[in-house]
Amino acid sequence: MTTPRYTLELERAIFNWYYGGDDAAPEPVFNEVAKGLNNDMQVLALTDMPDKDGHYFIPLFTSKEEMEKGKSSPVVSQSLKALFEAAGSSPMCSGYIINPWGQKLVLEKSIIRKLLEYQPKSHITFVKGSVVEMHVNAIVNAANESLLGGGGVDGAIHRAAGPGLLKECRALRGCRTGEAKITGAHDIDYADYIIHTVGPIYSGRKSDADMLASCYRNSLDLALANGCGSIAFPGISTGVYGYPLNEAAKVSLLTAVEWLDEHPDTVMNVYFCCFKDSEMDAYMALVNQCHKKKI
Ligand code: AR6
């Protein structure tokens, strides 16, 4: 049985949250919970709760596979919304743990109350790690104009996606700098699409920033056109193509913020993946600068 869409998206967001480390923001996960609540997401609940003394969390599972990672017990499918609404009725119940045997999501009653009212909204998350590991609708590849693979993140994506990706890329007949093209994710089963964009080779001219911005903009447009609600970017052009990290971070972040502002009715979880510590440092310096300016 295939996992329903909203359940899959929630599992992916929880994965990214763990992958993002201790400081990762929970908003992308909250977005997926809220979307699930609005779309009658079903989860598995134990038919019999073991006797408990004192306060307890009730386990819920997004799928049979998640349940079978631990002790297998009789379960019944229930609406997550109905379970959330019932959370207040038992004084000893502290809340729910979704997928207790795997990458778990612990939701205390106070958070559950807030989630019932939560309006999903676009969120930008900075992740220390490789874009190739992200569980999202669309992974972005920093490709070259041939679209036939290369080194860096391009090589890593082609290795993970397998030969089917190269075959599909051949049929695309290349991609111009600043533009983007989409393919399936092939053997990368934790993503639906790969968006291939070609960043500028850094020259120091003003047109570099325009080209880089159009990579981010075109990738986001393509993601939206293909129904994606989550997208993960590497630092386009910041490797072999030599774009200075601080400048590239500024262009990428401003372009994403601008794009999200222009699409107020879209909920997009945008992840900026920092393969090197220095990439994360560049983004954090920028975020701190923005905060200071606001104050
Ligand atoms: N896994 C994940 N991310 C990586 C990896 C990896 N193995 N290696 C580098 N990065 P780059 P570009 C990050 O050089 O500058 C290719 O050969 C890296 O830290 O992959 O746009 C293409 O075919 C940086 O943040 O891309 C093109 O010819 C980001 O990926 C050319 O390189 C981009 O670095 C494109 O150069």
Short mmCIF file of all heavy atoms in Angstrom, two decimals, residues 60-105:
data_model
loop_
_atom_site.label_atom_id
_atom_site.label_comp_id
_atom_site.label_asym_id
_atom_site.label_seq_id
_atom_site.Cartn_x
_atom_site.Cartn_y
_atom_site.Cartn_z
N LEU A 60 1.22 7.04 18.41
CA LEU A 60 0.49 6.98 17.13
C LEU A 60 1.51 6.64 16.05
O LEU A 60 2.69 6.95 16.19
CB LEU A 60 -0.14 8.34 16.80
CG LEU A 60 -1.15 8.92 17.78
CD1 LEU A 60 -1.57 10.32 17.33
CD2 LEU A 60 -2.39 8.02 17.88
N PHE A 61 1.02 6.05 14.96
CA PHE A 61 1.94 5.65 13.88
C PHE A 61 1.42 6.17 12.55
O PHE A 61 0.22 6.13 12.27
CB PHE A 61 2.06 4.12 13.82
CG PHE A 61 2.49 3.52 15.13
CD1 PHE A 61 1.54 3.08 16.06
CD2 PHE A 61 3.83 3.45 15.46
CE1 PHE A 61 1.93 2.56 17.28
CE2 PHE A 61 4.23 2.93 16.69
CZ PHE A 61 3.28 2.48 17.60
N THR A 62 2.38 6.63 11.72
CA THR A 62 1.96 7.12 10.40
C THR A 62 1.74 5.98 9.42
O THR A 62 1.12 6.17 8.38
CB THR A 62 3.01 8.09 9.82
OG1 THR A 62 4.29 7.46 9.90
CG2 THR A 62 3.03 9.41 10.57
N SER A 63 2.27 4.79 9.73
CA SER A 63 2.09 3.65 8.82
C SER A 63 2.35 2.36 9.60
O SER A 63 2.92 2.38 10.70
CB SER A 63 3.07 3.72 7.66
OG SER A 63 4.39 3.62 8.17
N LYS A 64 1.96 1.25 8.97
CA LYS A 64 2.20 -0.06 9.57
C LYS A 64 3.71 -0.32 9.69
O LYS A 64 4.17 -0.88 10.68
CB LYS A 64 1.57 -1.15 8.68
CG LYS A 64 0.83 -2.18 9.45
CD LYS A 64 -0.19 -2.93 8.65
CE LYS A 64 -0.74 -4.06 9.48
NZ LYS A 64 0.08 -5.23 9.58
N GLU A 65 4.46 0.15 8.69
CA GLU A 65 5.92 -0.05 8.72
C GLU A 65 6.52 0.64 9.95
O GLU A 65 7.40 0.11 10.60
CB GLU A 65 6.60 0.54 7.46
CG GLU A 65 6.29 -0.17 6.15
CD GLU A 65 4.87 0.09 5.66
OE1 GLU A 65 4.40 1.23 5.78
OE2 GLU A 65 4.22 -0.86 5.17
N GLU A 66 6.03 1.85 10.24
CA GLU A 66 6.53 2.58 11.41
C GLU A 66 6.20 1.81 12.68
O GLU A 66 7.02 1.74 13.59
CB GLU A 66 5.94 3.99 11.48
CG GLU A 66 6.58 4.97 10.52
CD GLU A 66 8.05 5.23 10.82
OE1 GLU A 66 8.46 5.12 11.99
OE2 GLU A 66 8.80 5.51 9.87
N MET A 67 5.00 1.22 12.74
CA MET A 67 4.61 0.49 13.94
C MET A 67 5.47 -0.76 14.10
O MET A 67 5.91 -1.09 15.20
CB MET A 67 3.14 0.10 13.87
CG MET A 67 2.67 -0.50 15.17
SD MET A 67 1.12 -1.33 14.99
CE MET A 67 1.54 -2.67 13.95
N GLU A 68 5.73 -1.42 12.98
CA GLU A 68 6.45 -2.70 13.05
C GLU A 68 7.95 -2.54 13.32
O GLU A 68 8.66 -3.53 13.46
CB GLU A 68 6.18 -3.50 11.77
CG GLU A 68 4.78 -4.10 11.81
CD GLU A 68 4.29 -4.61 10.46
OE1 GLU A 68 5.00 -4.43 9.46
OE2 GLU A 68 3.18 -5.17 10.44
N LYS A 69 8.41 -1.29 13.44
CA LYS A 69 9.80 -1.09 13.85
C LYS A 69 9.98 -1.49 15.32
O LYS A 69 11.09 -1.70 15.78
CB LYS A 69 10.21 0.39 13.67
CG LYS A 69 10.43 0.78 12.22
CD LYS A 69 10.84 2.23 12.11
CE LYS A 69 11.01 2.64 10.65
NZ LYS A 69 11.20 4.08 10.50
N GLY A 70 8.86 -1.54 16.07
CA GLY A 70 8.92 -1.93 17.48
C GLY A 70 8.00 -3.11 17.70
O GLY A 70 7.80 -3.93 16.81
N LYS A 71 7.41 -3.17 18.89
CA LYS A 71 6.51 -4.28 19.22
C LYS A 71 5.22 -4.13 18.41
O LYS A 71 4.60 -3.07 18.43
CB LYS A 71 6.21 -4.24 20.72
CG LYS A 71 5.52 -5.49 21.23
CD LYS A 71 5.60 -5.55 22.75
CE LYS A 71 4.58 -4.69 23.47
NZ LYS A 71 3.20 -4.92 23.35
N SER A 72 4.83 -5.19 17.71
CA SER A 72 3.62 -5.11 16.89
C SER A 72 2.39 -5.31 17.76
O SER A 72 2.33 -6.23 18.56
CB SER A 72 3.71 -6.19 15.81
OG SER A 72 2.81 -5.91 14.81
N SER A 73 1.42 -4.42 17.63
CA SER A 73 0.19 -4.49 18.45
C SER A 73 -1.00 -4.21 17.55
O SER A 73 -0.86 -3.58 16.50
CB SER A 73 0.21 -3.43 19.55
OG SER A 73 1.44 -3.42 20.20
N PRO A 74 -2.23 -4.63 17.96
CA PRO A 74 -3.41 -4.31 17.15
C PRO A 74 -3.63 -2.80 17.09
O PRO A 74 -3.57 -2.12 18.12
CB PRO A 74 -4.56 -5.01 17.89
CG PRO A 74 -3.92 -5.88 18.91
CD PRO A 74 -2.55 -5.40 19.16
N VAL A 75 -3.89 -2.31 15.88
CA VAL A 75 -4.09 -0.87 15.72
C VAL A 75 -5.33 -0.61 14.87
O VAL A 75 -5.81 -1.50 14.17
CB VAL A 75 -2.89 -0.19 15.01
CG1 VAL A 75 -1.71 -0.02 15.92
CG2 VAL A 75 -2.52 -0.91 13.73
N VAL A 76 -5.81 0.60 14.96
CA VAL A 76 -6.96 0.99 14.15
C VAL A 76 -6.66 2.36 13.54
O VAL A 76 -5.95 3.18 14.14
CB VAL A 76 -8.25 0.99 15.02
CG1 VAL A 76 -8.14 2.00 16.15
CG2 VAL A 76 -9.48 1.24 14.19
N SER A 77 -7.16 2.57 12.31
CA SER A 77 -6.92 3.83 11.63
C SER A 77 -7.86 4.90 12.19
O SER A 77 -9.05 4.66 12.33
CB SER A 77 -7.17 3.60 10.13
OG SER A 77 -6.93 4.78 9.44
N GLN A 78 -7.31 6.06 12.52
CA GLN A 78 -8.16 7.12 13.09
C GLN A 78 -7.74 8.47 12.52
O GLN A 78 -6.59 8.65 12.11
CB GLN A 78 -7.98 7.16 14.61
CG GLN A 78 -8.63 5.99 15.30
CD GLN A 78 -8.91 6.30 16.77
OE1 GLN A 78 -9.05 7.44 17.16
NE2 GLN A 78 -8.98 5.26 17.57
N SER A 79 -8.68 9.38 12.56
CA SER A 79 -8.39 10.73 12.05
C SER A 79 -7.50 11.47 13.06
O SER A 79 -7.80 11.52 14.26
CB SER A 79 -9.72 11.46 11.86
OG SER A 79 -9.61 12.80 12.23
N LEU A 80 -6.41 12.03 12.56
CA LEU A 80 -5.48 12.76 13.43
C LEU A 80 -6.22 13.94 14.09
O LEU A 80 -6.02 14.25 15.26
CB LEU A 80 -4.28 13.27 12.63
CG LEU A 80 -3.18 13.93 13.45
CD1 LEU A 80 -2.53 12.95 14.42
CD2 LEU A 80 -2.11 14.55 12.56
N LYS A 81 -7.09 14.57 13.31
CA LYS A 81 -7.81 15.73 13.84
C LYS A 81 -8.69 15.32 15.02
O LYS A 81 -8.69 15.97 16.07
CB LYS A 81 -8.66 16.36 12.74
CG LYS A 81 -9.25 17.67 13.16
CD LYS A 81 -9.76 18.45 11.99
CE LYS A 81 -10.18 19.83 12.46
NZ LYS A 81 -11.26 20.35 11.66
N ALA A 82 -9.42 14.19 14.85
CA ALA A 82 -10.30 13.73 15.94
C ALA A 82 -9.47 13.38 17.17
O ALA A 82 -9.85 13.70 18.31
CB ALA A 82 -11.10 12.52 15.47
N LEU A 83 -8.32 12.76 16.96
CA LEU A 83 -7.45 12.41 18.10
C LEU A 83 -6.94 13.67 18.79
O LEU A 83 -6.92 13.74 20.02
CB LEU A 83 -6.27 11.56 17.62
CG LEU A 83 -6.61 10.11 17.25
CD1 LEU A 83 -5.49 9.50 16.42
CD2 LEU A 83 -6.84 9.28 18.50
N PHE A 84 -6.54 14.66 18.00
CA PHE A 84 -6.05 15.92 18.58
C PHE A 84 -7.16 16.59 19.39
O PHE A 84 -6.93 17.11 20.48
CB PHE A 84 -5.56 16.86 17.48
CG PHE A 84 -4.12 16.66 17.09
CD1 PHE A 84 -3.47 15.47 17.36
CD2 PHE A 84 -3.40 17.67 16.47
CE1 PHE A 84 -2.14 15.28 16.99
CE2 PHE A 84 -2.06 17.50 16.11
CZ PHE A 84 -1.44 16.30 16.36
N GLU A 85 -8.37 16.58 18.82
CA GLU A 85 -9.48 17.24 19.53
C GLU A 85 -9.82 16.52 20.83
O GLU A 85 -10.29 17.13 21.78
CB GLU A 85 -10.70 17.31 18.60
CG GLU A 85 -10.51 18.42 17.57
CD GLU A 85 -11.51 18.40 16.43
OE1 GLU A 85 -12.26 17.40 16.31
OE2 GLU A 85 -11.54 19.36 15.66
N ALA A 86 -9.53 15.20 20.86
CA ALA A 86 -9.84 14.42 22.08
C ALA A 86 -8.72 14.49 23.10
O ALA A 86 -8.85 14.00 24.22
CB ALA A 86 -10.10 12.97 21.69
N ALA A 87 -7.60 15.10 22.72
CA ALA A 87 -6.41 15.04 23.59
C ALA A 87 -6.65 15.63 24.97
O ALA A 87 -6.04 15.20 25.95
CB ALA A 87 -5.24 15.76 22.93
N GLY A 88 -7.56 16.59 25.05
CA GLY A 88 -7.80 17.24 26.34
C GLY A 88 -8.66 16.41 27.28
O GLY A 88 -8.72 16.69 28.48
N SER A 89 -9.31 15.35 26.76
CA SER A 89 -10.35 14.69 27.57
C SER A 89 -9.79 13.80 28.68
O SER A 89 -10.48 13.50 29.64
CB SER A 89 -11.29 13.89 26.66
OG SER A 89 -10.54 12.94 25.97
N SER A 90 -8.55 13.35 28.55
CA SER A 90 -8.00 12.50 29.60
C SER A 90 -6.94 13.28 30.37
O SER A 90 -5.90 13.65 29.83
CB SER A 90 -7.38 11.26 28.97
OG SER A 90 -6.62 10.60 29.93
N PRO A 91 -7.20 13.54 31.66
CA PRO A 91 -6.28 14.41 32.41
C PRO A 91 -4.88 13.83 32.55
O PRO A 91 -3.91 14.57 32.67
CB PRO A 91 -6.94 14.56 33.79
CG PRO A 91 -8.07 13.59 33.83
CD PRO A 91 -8.37 13.12 32.46
N MET A 92 -4.74 12.50 32.52
CA MET A 92 -3.42 11.90 32.71
C MET A 92 -2.61 11.82 31.41
O MET A 92 -1.43 11.53 31.42
CB MET A 92 -3.54 10.47 33.30
CG MET A 92 -4.23 10.44 34.64
SD MET A 92 -3.55 11.68 35.77
CE MET A 92 -2.11 10.84 36.34
N CYS A 93 -3.31 12.06 30.29
CA CYS A 93 -2.61 11.99 29.00
C CYS A 93 -1.85 13.30 28.77
O CYS A 93 -2.44 14.38 28.79
CB CYS A 93 -3.63 11.74 27.89
SG CYS A 93 -2.95 12.02 26.25
N SER A 94 -0.54 13.19 28.54
CA SER A 94 0.27 14.41 28.33
C SER A 94 0.29 14.84 26.88
O SER A 94 0.70 15.95 26.56
CB SER A 94 1.71 14.16 28.78
OG SER A 94 1.73 13.82 30.13
N GLY A 95 -0.09 13.91 25.98
CA GLY A 95 -0.08 14.24 24.55
C GLY A 95 0.16 12.98 23.73
O GLY A 95 -0.13 11.88 24.18
N TYR A 96 0.68 13.17 22.52
CA TYR A 96 0.93 12.03 21.62
C TYR A 96 2.40 11.97 21.24
O TYR A 96 3.08 12.99 21.17
CB TYR A 96 0.12 12.17 20.33
CG TYR A 96 -1.39 12.11 20.55
CD1 TYR A 96 -2.17 13.24 20.44
CD2 TYR A 96 -2.00 10.90 20.85
CE1 TYR A 96 -3.55 13.19 20.63
CE2 TYR A 96 -3.38 10.82 21.05
CZ TYR A 96 -4.14 11.98 20.93
OH TYR A 96 -5.49 11.91 21.14
N ILE A 97 2.86 10.73 20.95
CA ILE A 97 4.17 10.57 20.32
C ILE A 97 3.91 9.90 18.98
O ILE A 97 3.39 8.78 18.93
CB ILE A 97 5.12 9.64 21.10
CG1 ILE A 97 5.31 10.12 22.52
CG2 ILE A 97 6.47 9.58 20.39
CD1 ILE A 97 6.36 9.33 23.28
N ILE A 98 4.21 10.62 17.91
CA ILE A 98 4.03 10.03 16.58
C ILE A 98 5.31 9.27 16.22
O ILE A 98 6.40 9.80 16.32
CB ILE A 98 3.70 11.12 15.54
CG1 ILE A 98 2.39 11.81 15.96
CG2 ILE A 98 3.59 10.53 14.14
CD1 ILE A 98 1.92 12.89 15.02
N ASN A 99 5.15 8.01 15.85
CA ASN A 99 6.26 7.11 15.47
C ASN A 99 7.31 6.96 16.57
O ASN A 99 8.48 7.32 16.39
CB ASN A 99 6.92 7.58 14.16
CG ASN A 99 5.97 7.48 13.00
OD1 ASN A 99 4.96 6.79 13.08
ND2 ASN A 99 6.27 8.18 11.92
N PRO A 100 6.90 6.42 17.71
CA PRO A 100 7.84 6.36 18.85
C PRO A 100 9.08 5.50 18.59
O PRO A 100 10.11 5.70 19.22
CB PRO A 100 7.00 5.73 19.98
CG PRO A 100 5.85 5.06 19.30
CD PRO A 100 5.59 5.83 18.05
N TRP A 101 9.01 4.56 17.64
CA TRP A 101 10.16 3.66 17.44
C TRP A 101 11.18 4.26 16.48
O TRP A 101 12.29 3.73 16.35
CB TRP A 101 9.73 2.30 16.87
CG TRP A 101 8.54 1.67 17.51
CD1 TRP A 101 7.50 1.07 16.87
CD2 TRP A 101 8.26 1.53 18.91
NE1 TRP A 101 6.59 0.59 17.76
CE2 TRP A 101 7.03 0.86 19.04
CE3 TRP A 101 8.91 1.92 20.09
CZ2 TRP A 101 6.44 0.56 20.26
CZ3 TRP A 101 8.33 1.63 21.31
CH2 TRP A 101 7.12 0.96 21.37
N GLY A 102 10.80 5.29 15.75
CA GLY A 102 11.73 5.82 14.76
C GLY A 102 12.07 7.26 15.07
O GLY A 102 12.34 7.62 16.22
N GLN A 103 12.02 8.10 14.04
CA GLN A 103 12.26 9.53 14.26
C GLN A 103 10.95 10.10 14.76
O GLN A 103 10.03 10.32 13.99
CB GLN A 103 12.72 10.18 12.97
CG GLN A 103 14.15 9.81 12.70
CD GLN A 103 14.55 10.06 11.29
OE1 GLN A 103 13.74 9.92 10.37
NE2 GLN A 103 15.79 10.41 11.09
N LYS A 104 10.89 10.26 16.06
CA LYS A 104 9.60 10.54 16.70
C LYS A 104 9.28 12.03 16.76
O LYS A 104 10.16 12.87 16.74
CB LYS A 104 9.54 9.92 18.08
CG LYS A 104 10.66 10.37 19.02
CD LYS A 104 10.48 9.78 20.37
CE LYS A 104 11.43 8.69 20.79
NZ LYS A 104 12.73 8.58 20.24
N LEU A 105 7.98 12.27 16.85
CA LEU A 105 7.50 13.64 17.03
C LEU A 105 6.69 13.65 18.32
O LEU A 105 5.64 13.00 18.40
CB LEU A 105 6.63 14.04 15.84
CG LEU A 105 6.02 15.43 15.88
CD1 LEU A 105 7.10 16.51 15.92
CD2 LEU A 105 5.12 15.64 14.65
#
